[in-house]
Amino acid sequence: MRFFLRRFMFYVITFWAAVTINFLIPRLLPGDPVSALIAKNQGRISPDATEALRALFGLDQDVSLWQQYLDYWGLILHGELGISFTYFPTPVTEVIQQALPWTIGLVGIATIISFTIGTLIGTGIGWRRGTWADSLLPISTFFSSVPYFWLALIAISLFSVTLGWFPASGSYDRSLIPTWSWEFVGSVIYYGFLPAMTIVISSIAGWILGMRNMMVTVSSEDYVTVAQAKGLSERAVMFGYAARNAVLPQVSSFALSLGFIVGGTLVMEIVFSYQGIGYFLFTAVAAKDYPLMQGIFLVITLAVLFANIVADFVYGVLDPRTRQEG
Amino acid sequence: MTITSPFGQPFGDPLGLPLGQPDVRTPALTPVSDPVLEIRNLSVDYGYDGDPVHVLRQVSLTLERGEVLGLAGESGCGKSTLAYAATRLLPPPGLITGGEVLFTDRDGTTTDILRLNDAQLRASRWQDLAIVFQGAMNSLNPVFRVGRQIADGIRAHRPEVSQKEALERSAELLELVGISPDRLRSYPHQLSGGMRQRVMIAMALALDPQVLIMDEPTTALDVVMQRQIVEQIADLRDRLGFSVIFITHDVSLLIEIADRIAIMYAGEIVEDAAARDVYQRPRHPYSSALLHSFPPLRGPRRELTGIPGSPPDLSKLGGGCPFRDRCAFAFDACSKVNPELVFPDVPGDDPRRSVACLRHDPAAVRAVGEQPLPVPPELSAR
């Protein structure tokens, strides 16, 4: 119990630090949201409205940084993230609520697929190293070392433009109404296939390589030899003894990569014009949209923290040695 | 002088066989040979390329039923390779290049382990021949409970046994080696080194194997634990009747537990004799030197000599005796012919013992046109 209490304290402190940094960083950025908003609307907002906008965004009062900080905490704890400057007058929470499921759905599933397939392939290659299967390694590593945006553009030009198999952008057929109908879900899968595939292809090498190397290391452990000497079946030795231990570091990197799903897909969402959280973050930064930016950063932070908690928990389940106290 | 261990058991003398005292152990060398495991001309190379290192060269060894056979030698002489090769667990780049490992079952059927197919090999492992490895610390899977690891070996061979029954059997096995059955639910990291090694022994006994190969089972443990484990093995052998190949570099330990001792040097067996004979009447210069490199605790004082030089580079062995450069009794013929195991040239010796030294093999010396030299008194003690 002390173990979990200590972990919990650790996460509380991390959360506090993350929120504080999250609060400070946008304030260190040069520039001014009101002039950005006016510039964005290209003359449709009269410069006379500047003062009104400043008042609306709360920029007219001269509040000390400390007071802003305290207000920020108060609002966060009430789930209040302010109003987006760019999508004015939509509240930030609503913008995030719209964007988050798309990112988590697409990138989450792609990451899980990549992890599962990559780990299985790595298990096989590591177990039978020195066979033809080893040639998969340089191929997959090639795709992961290609810059992602380039890989995505090639995929678009090949599968969307030349072959016309998949749409080049968007997340569903705009003529459909978003409901839980088969037609709509099918459209989402159809639109999501190409981005998901590029994510899998570019990230799978890491999983293969990590698992393969751990398999090679673990295969020479005494307990694997003992398992062989016990006459267990090849499958039992490979999965129960070798892979079961080799997967431990994979699990922690997997949990971390789950945390980065929310923030790490900026490039994909821009290339495929996919309206996920990365796409909104990009527009928010471009428009000096502090509330949205901070809101998204906060969500990213929470996602990473949550993934860490999950990793801690899963690791504790998988490896009895980490459960020990002290 | 009797030293008492912290556990109240008197320490035996590691060399507890002073001259002239009767051997208290039951003699396992029965007149009728009933071998359970015969290793014949086993050769192992390391390296796949054109220039492999011959780590084991034509090693032959016979393990009689119910016997404890000690296998001793310096680090790198091929002791462990022999154990791994005989069980076909040799990791790459090791390659078995020839020989036979004949296992004779209780009903008298003999199989060559090296020629079993994968399924037969899997079925034979642990059932016929179990191994306890050197690294007690790493021999247990860290993520499974101890009970599960004993039970999965049982269930792999007896699919009809339920998990519950297998765990009950595991509990019995733990009791057999003196560990409380509630330890079944422990993870390996919750056990001490000695307990882990006991768990490994319990695990090895799970299917009542006929042969137990123990590869330096006590090396990582302190002397108190070593003694307990060795006594336990001897006790279990008496109760369960399995045969043991006990591999170690610690000759003093072997003299206590083994019925017979085989001394290895540079990938070959150089002497094979009853434990008492090896200790009191070594016939090979290397055995003699090994025995003079540690002090006896009882009995007459001996001069400690050690062995000059270092083991030969196995990749650079030419013809001739591999020990000649370090041998006090080497002569011209030793660089010309590699001695084979023969009956020692000492009248009245046990007819079952053998030694690979040209001092004992005048015929081989004459065959290369050299003058044989007599056996020196150091190698012909009565």
Side-chain angles (χ1 to χ4, degrees), chain B residues 146-176:
Chain B
V146 164
R148 175 173 175 180
Q149 297 191 50
I150 302 178
D152 69 357
I154 298 174
R155 296 198 64 200
H157 292 271
R158 314 233 195 290
E160 74 280 2
V161 173
S162 72
Q163 180 72 13
K164 189 165 165 281
E165 289 167 332
L167 283 173
E168 280 164 10
R169 168 85 177 130
S170 309
E172 287 170 25
L173 288 163
L174 284 190
E175 277 192 303
L176 196 66

Side-chain angles (χ1 to χ4, degrees), chain B residues 200-279:
Chain B
M200 287 310 297
I201 293 170
M203 196 187 278
L205 298 175
L207 295 168
D208 197 12
Q210 296 167 56
V211 178
L212 200 57
I213 296 183
M214 315 195 89
D215 183 12
E216 311 224 10
T218 58
T219 307
L221 307 173
D222 64 67
V223 284
V224 177
M225 196 49 72
Q226 272 190 11
R227 164 144 305 274
Q228 289 185 358
I229 298 260
V230 164
E231 277 170 2
Q232 191 145 51
I233 293 165
D235 176 52
L236 288 170
R237 194 273 307 255
D238 291 344
R239 282 162 64 189
L240 305 173
F242 50 83
S243 321
V244 181
I245 296 183
F246 196 101
I247 299 171
T248 179
H249 58 256
D250 187 350
V251 189
S252 55
L253 194 71
L254 272 191
I255 288 159
E256 264 186 279
I257 185 178
D259 301 309
R260 209 153 50 85
I261 294 179
I263 307 276
M264 272 189 93
Y265 186 77
E268 292 172 338
I269 305 254
V270 295
E271 182 158 11
D272 180 354
R276 279 175 65 86
D277 283 341
V278 170
Y279 179 50

Side-chain angles (χ1 to χ4, degrees), chain A residues 125 131-140:
Chain A
I125 294 181
T131 60
W132 61 269
D134 274 352
S135 58
L136 268 175
L137 271 180
I139 298 174
S140 62

Side-chain angles (χ1 to χ4, degrees), chain B residues 77-334:
Chain B
C77 73
K79 311 181 293 283
S80 298
T81 300
L82 182 64
Y84 283 98
T87 49
R88 281 175 61 183
L89 288 168
L90 201 61
L95 203 64
I96 300 169
T97 52
E100 294 176 312
V101 179
L102 301 175
F103 172 78
T104 307
D105 212 333
R106 290 187 182 99
D107 61 13
T109 51
T110 299
T111 45
D112 184 353
I113 291 176
L114 300 187
R115 277 163 193 79
L116 295 177
N117 66 31
D118 276 2
Q120 291 168 328
L121 179 67
R122 232 169 256 294
S124 152
R125 280 176 171 170
W126 224 240
Q127 173 108 305
D128 299 334
L129 195 152
I131 314 173
V132 176
F133 290 100
Q134 187 165 0
M137 298 298 164
N138 306 319
S139 290
L140 290 163
N141 187 346
V143 298
F144 289 159
R145 293 181 201 277
V146 164
R148 175 173 175 180
Q149 297 191 50
I150 302 178
D152 69 357
I154 298 174
R155 296 198 64 200
H157 292 271
R158 314 233 195 290
E160 74 280 2
V161 173
S162 72
Q163 180 72 13
K164 189 165 165 281
E165 289 167 332
L167 283 173
E168 280 164 10
R169 168 85 177 130
S170 309
E172 287 170 25
L173 288 163
L174 284 190
E175 277 192 303
L176 196 66
V177 295
I179 294 180
S180 155
D182 56 22
R183 283 297 188 175
L184 277 182
R185 292 191 54 76
S186 294
Y187 286 101
H189 70 269
Q190 295 166 324
L191 304 176
S192 71
M195 284 171 96
R196 282 185 229 184
Q197 196 57 284
R198 280 161 199 262
V199 168
M200 287 310 297
I201 293 170
M203 196 187 278
L205 298 175
L207 295 168
D208 197 12
Q210 296 167 56
V211 178
L212 200 57
I213 296 183
M214 315 195 89
D215 183 12
E216 311 224 10
T218 58
T219 307
L221 307 173
D222 64 67
V223 284
V224 177
M225 196 49 72
Q226 272 190 11
R227 164 144 305 274
Q228 289 185 358
I229 298 260
V230 164
E231 277 170 2
Q232 191 145 51
I233 293 165
D235 176 52
L236 288 170
R237 194 273 307 255
D238 291 344
R239 282 162 64 189
L240 305 173
F242 50 83
S243 321
V244 181
I245 296 183
F246 196 101
I247 299 171
T248 179
H249 58 256
D250 187 350
V251 189
S252 55
L253 194 71
L254 272 191
I255 288 159
E256 264 186 279
I257 185 178
D259 301 309
R260 209 153 50 85
I261 294 179
I263 307 276
M264 272 189 93
Y265 186 77
E268 292 172 338
I269 305 254
V270 295
E271 182 158 11
D272 180 354
R276 279 175 65 86
D277 283 341
V278 170
Y279 179 50
Q280 291 164 10
R281 294 175 279 271
R283 294 297 180 245
H284 194 279
Y286 178 63
S287 321
S288 170
L290 263 188
L291 291 165
H292 284 94
S293 55
F294 59 89
L297 285 184
R298 262 187 295 195
R301 282 194 182 190
R302 286 190 317 204
E303 196 182 336
L304 284 183
T305 50
I307 306 173
S310 53
D313 183 344
L314 289 176
S315 61
K316 296 191 176 66
L317 280 183
C321 176
F323 188 60
R324 64 180 184 274
D325 294 335
R326 306 168 75 185
C327 180
F329 309 107
F331 60 112
D332 294 346
C334 294

Side-chain angles (χ1 to χ4, degrees), chain A:
Chain A
M1 210 52 234
R2 260 184 61 218
F3 171 76
F4 286 105
L5 201 68
R6 267 215 313 263
R7 296 309 297 168
F8 181 71
M9 283 309 293
F10 169 77
Y11 286 118
V12 166
I13 292 169
T14 314
F15 179 66
W16 167 79
V19 169
T20 305
I21 292 171
N22 201 3
F23 166 81
L24 285 175
I25 283 183
R27 278 160 182 76
L28 298 174
L29 282 175
D32 171 16
V34 176
S35 37
L37 186 68
I38 290 172
K40 192 187 166 202
N41 283 283
Q42 291 165 343
R44 271 171 287 162
I45 296 176
S46 137
D48 303 339
T50 309
E51 277 311 308
L53 280 171
R54 288 182 70 87
L56 188 67
F57 293 149
L59 298 172
D60 56 336
Q61 300 143 30
D62 194 18
V63 183
S64 74
L65 202 64
W66 178 246
Q67 190 55 45
Q68 287 181 31
Y69 181 62
L70 293 183
D71 292 347
Y72 181 62
W73 264 110
L75 289 170
I76 279 184
L77 294 179
H78 288 99
E80 182 71 59
L81 295 174
I83 291 169
S84 166
F85 294 170
T86 359
Y87 301 96
F88 183 77
T90 324
V92 167
T93 39
E94 217 168 281
V95 177
I96 291 175
Q97 261 171 28
Q98 276 174 19
L100 204 55
W102 292 100
T103 300
I104 291 182
L106 176 71
V107 192
I109 290 170
T111 307
I112 291 170
I113 291 175
S114 178
F115 169 77
T116 313
I117 297 179
T119 303
L120 281 175
I121 292 177
T123 306
I125 294 181
W127 188 245
R128 304 181 183 280
R129 75 187 133 130
T131 60
W132 61 269
D134 274 352
S135 58
L136 268 175
L137 271 180
I139 298 174
S140 62
T141 314
F142 168 77
F143 281 113
S144 78
S145 38
V146 168
Y148 176 77
F149 70 90
W150 188 80
L151 184 77
L153 289 174
I154 294 288
I156 290 176
S157 89
L158 188 64
F159 294 107
S160 309
V161 180
T162 313
L163 295 169
W165 291 354
F166 297 102
S169 68
S171 44
Y172 60 90
D173 189 342
R174 294 286 162 184
S175 65
L176 296 169
I177 304 147
T179 49
W180 283 109
S181 67
W182 280 115
E183 203 185 0
F184 179 71
V185 172
S187 161
V188 169
I189 294 175
Y190 177 58
Y191 273 75
F193 187 86
L194 203 56
M197 194 187 70
T198 54
I199 294 175
V200 169
I201 285 179
S202 71
S203 64
I204 200 164
W207 300 121
I208 297 181
L209 206 63
M211 189 61 184
R212 185 234 174 225
N213 291 351
M214 275 314 287
M215 277 299 276
V216 170
T217 312
V218 170
S219 294
S220 60
E221 289 283 348
D222 285 343
Y223 50 77
V224 175
T225 314
V226 170
Q228 293 277 21
K230 282 201 282 191
L232 302 185
S233 70
E234 179 102 3
R235 269 177 68 96
V237 181
M238 177 170 153
F239 288 109
Y241 283 74
R244 179 65 175 71
N245 282 284
V247 85
L248 295 175
Q250 291 279 102
V251 169
S252 37
S253 0
F254 176 63
L256 286 179
S257 73
L258 280 185
F260 289 119
I261 282 175
V262 177
T265 56
L266 206 98
V267 179
M268 184 280 286
E269 288 177 359
I270 292 165
V271 173
F272 287 96
S273 309
Y274 204 86
Q275 88 278 27
I277 204 102
Y279 184 75
F280 282 97
L281 178 62
F282 180 68
T283 39
V285 171
K288 303 260 164 18
D289 187 347
Y290 294 146
L292 185 56
M293 230 191 292
Q294 276 180 320
I296 292 177
F297 282 144
L298 186 71
V299 167
I300 293 173
T301 311
L302 287 177
V304 174
L305 270 184
F306 179 72
N308 265 293
I309 295 172
V310 170
D312 258 2
F313 179 74
V314 171
Y315 215 94
V317 169
L318 287 179
D319 190 346
R321 287 167 294 186
T322 54
R323 260 175 267 163
Q324 233 178 0
E325 301 200 352

